[in-house]
């Protein structure tokens, strides 16, 4: 295992360990400040406030606290990139062609191309790709990384269509039902972050189980999608975001589905823990941390004008 063993201490000294994890987050914030300074055009909107950077670094530190700050660097930067991609597609794109251009640029970068001039999201993705290329496992696992990126971008484009295209005259529907919405949870970027994290930090056992980890992680991703939606309904309504609560006639259906998906994921994680306990814990902590975080806060800063 790389990094510091977890937990380092127990009992009363657990607070000291929590302090160490917070220090990991501080290191992460400082690194993200370097990223935003190097890409000012990508992060000049009001929601990319200092608290968002702090929240991104904190969630990564707490879900994978056994790593060093250096080991978490790519993971933390990838989470920030996902937020930037979400902003580009959901709030800056004015047409389906704008969305398709984002997808085309990013997939070309994933395939090794240089980012086109002025395409700031693609430029930051190229930075991540170049850093991943220093990881020995990336050469053979690059197709899986590229596939997860493609899934995320396709899901983001699909949600843009749901929100912006006219109602289908045949079905009378534009928005998806809850099942279809959850099938599209790759747009959250959670699975893309996971595959990046595992390729960057995983040992051979982790990498050998990568497909199984992604399958279980996709179930966790659906849980996180609903946790987010239940906590951010008001913000989503204000910003024009799609939310699971818009798709049902009774909010209890969303709560019930969350309970069902969480129970299923807990079972999958228990089974995974027998083969890969460290990464089962990583996914388990995603659910626990996110559930606690959204009780009091949100990642995005105020939208501004």
């Amino acid at each position: 295992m790389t990094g510091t063993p977890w937990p380092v201490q127990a009992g009363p000294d657990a607070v000291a360990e929590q302090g160490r994890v917070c220090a990991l987050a501080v290191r992460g914030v400082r690194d993200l400040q370097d990223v935003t300074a190097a890409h000012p055009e990508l992060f000049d909107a009001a929601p990319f406030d200092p608290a968002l950077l702090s929240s991104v670094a904190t969630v990564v530190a707490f879900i994978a606290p056994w790593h060093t700050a250096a080991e978490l660097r790519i993971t933390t930067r990838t989470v920030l990139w996902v937020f930037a991609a979400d902003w580009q597609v959901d709030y800056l794109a004015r047409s389906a062609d704008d969305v398709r251009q984002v997808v085309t640029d990013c997939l070309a970068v994933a395939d090794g191309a240089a980012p086109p001039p002025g395409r700031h999201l693609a430029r930051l993705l190229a930075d991540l790709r170049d850093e991943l290329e220093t990881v020995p496992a990336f050469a053979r696992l690059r197709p899986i990384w590229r596939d997860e990126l493609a899934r995320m971008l396709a899901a983001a484009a699909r949600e843009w269509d749901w929100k912006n295209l006219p109602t289908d005259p045949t079905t009378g529907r534009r928005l998806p039902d809850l099942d279809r919405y959850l099938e599209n949870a790759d747009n959250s970027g959670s699975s893309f972050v996971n595959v990046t994290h595992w390729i960057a930090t995983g040992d051979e056992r982790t990498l050998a189980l990568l497909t199984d980890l992604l399958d279980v992680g996709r179930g966790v991703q659906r849980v996180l999608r609903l946790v987010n939606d239940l906590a951010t309904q008001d913000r989503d309504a204000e910003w024009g975001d799609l939310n699971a609560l818009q798709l049902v006639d009774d909010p209890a259906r969303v709560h019930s589905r969350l309970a069902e998906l969480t129970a299923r994921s807990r079972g999958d994680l228990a089974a995974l823990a027998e083969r890969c306990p460290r990464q089962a814990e990583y996914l388990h902590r995603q659910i626990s941390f996110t559930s606690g975080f959204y009780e009091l806060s949100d990642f995005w800063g105020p939208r501004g004008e």
Side-chain angles (χ1 to χ4, degrees):
M1 284 302 171
T2 56
T4 305
W6 179 266
V8 175
Q9 297 167 320
D13 289 331
V15 175
E17 177 57 17
Q18 292 166 4
R20 190 192 70 84
V21 178
C22 289
L24 276 180
V26 169
R27 294 277 297 276
V29 172
R30 288 173 176 154
D31 181 65
L32 294 183
Q33 289 172 336
D34 292 341
V35 174
T36 57
H39 300 268
E41 306 89 348
L42 199 55
F43 299 104
D44 60 357
F48 292 101
D49 64 358
L52 184 144
L53 302 187
S54 177
S55 299
V56 166
T58 299
V59 67
V60 173
F62 270 89
I63 65 175
W66 40 81
H67 287 292
T68 66
E71 289 165 347
L72 292 178
R73 169 188 164 99
I74 295 178
T75 307
T76 307
R77 290 185 168 205
T78 301
V79 175
L80 183 63
W81 183 86
V82 168
F83 274 92
D86 184 68
W87 185 255
Q88 292 284 312
V89 172
D90 279 0
Y91 306 110
L92 297 187
R94 292 293 176 260
S95 68
D97 286 342
D98 290 345
V99 177
R100 307 304 179 247
Q101 190 64 62
V102 169
V103 174
T104 299
D105 290 345
C106 291
L107 291 182
V109 164
D111 291 332
R119 303 290 168 74
H120 306 296
L121 184 69
R123 179 183 158 214
L124 179 53
L125 181 64
D127 291 348
L128 296 172
R129 176 204 64 196
D130 292 348
E131 191 161 355
L132 276 171
E133 286 178 341
T134 68
V135 177
F138 186 61
R140 61 185 166 88
L141 296 174
R142 184 175 190 152
I144 298 177
W145 178 81
R146 198 263 191 201
D147 181 64
E148 289 299 327
L149 174 65
R151 290 178 67 122
M152 173 194 154
L153 294 171
R158 190 175 298 115
E159 181 162 310
W160 191 94
D161 289 347
W162 286 338
K163 293 192 300 181
N164 294 281
L165 294 186
T167 299
D168 186 329
T170 302
T171 65
R173 288 189 62 86
R174 173 170 59 88
L175 298 181
D177 61 17
L178 183 57
D179 289 338
R180 184 77 179 98
Y181 176 74
L182 288 170
E183 288 171 4
N184 202 54
D186 284 317
N187 73 315
S188 70
S190 175
S191 191
F192 177 59
V193 170
N194 288 344
V195 76
T196 304
H197 173 75
W198 286 323
I199 291 173
T201 66
D203 56 17
E204 283 306 313
R205 182 172 182 78
T206 295
L207 299 178
L209 291 172
L210 190 56
T211 299
D212 291 343
L213 291 172
L214 286 168
D215 286 344
V216 176
R218 224 174 292 283
V220 171
Q221 180 176 245
R222 289 188 284 272
V223 172
L224 301 182
R225 174 78 280 165
L226 292 186
V227 169
N228 173 284
D229 283 8
L230 287 169
T232 61
Q233 180 184 13
D234 292 342
R235 192 255 293 159
D236 288 341
E238 178 186 351
W239 288 21
D241 271 347
L242 195 57
N243 186 295
L245 291 166
Q246 297 173 241
L247 310 177
V248 297
D249 52 8
D250 182 356
R253 288 185 55 199
V254 177
H255 289 275
S256 175
R257 182 61 66 85
L258 175 57
E260 171 193 331
L261 292 174
T262 302
R264 184 182 306 165
S265 284
R266 299 289 191 199
D268 291 342
L269 290 171
L272 179 65
E274 298 178 2
R275 295 181 295 155
C276 198
R278 175 58 52 83
Q279 306 312 334
E281 176 68 6
Y282 165 83
L283 291 170
H284 169 81
R285 293 175 74 87
Q286 286 185 358
I287 296 175
S288 296
F289 182 93
T290 304
S291 298
F293 180 87
Y294 276 121
E295 288 184 6
L296 297 174
S297 190
D298 187 10
F299 285 91
W300 291 106
R303 184 171 182 177
E305 296 298 330

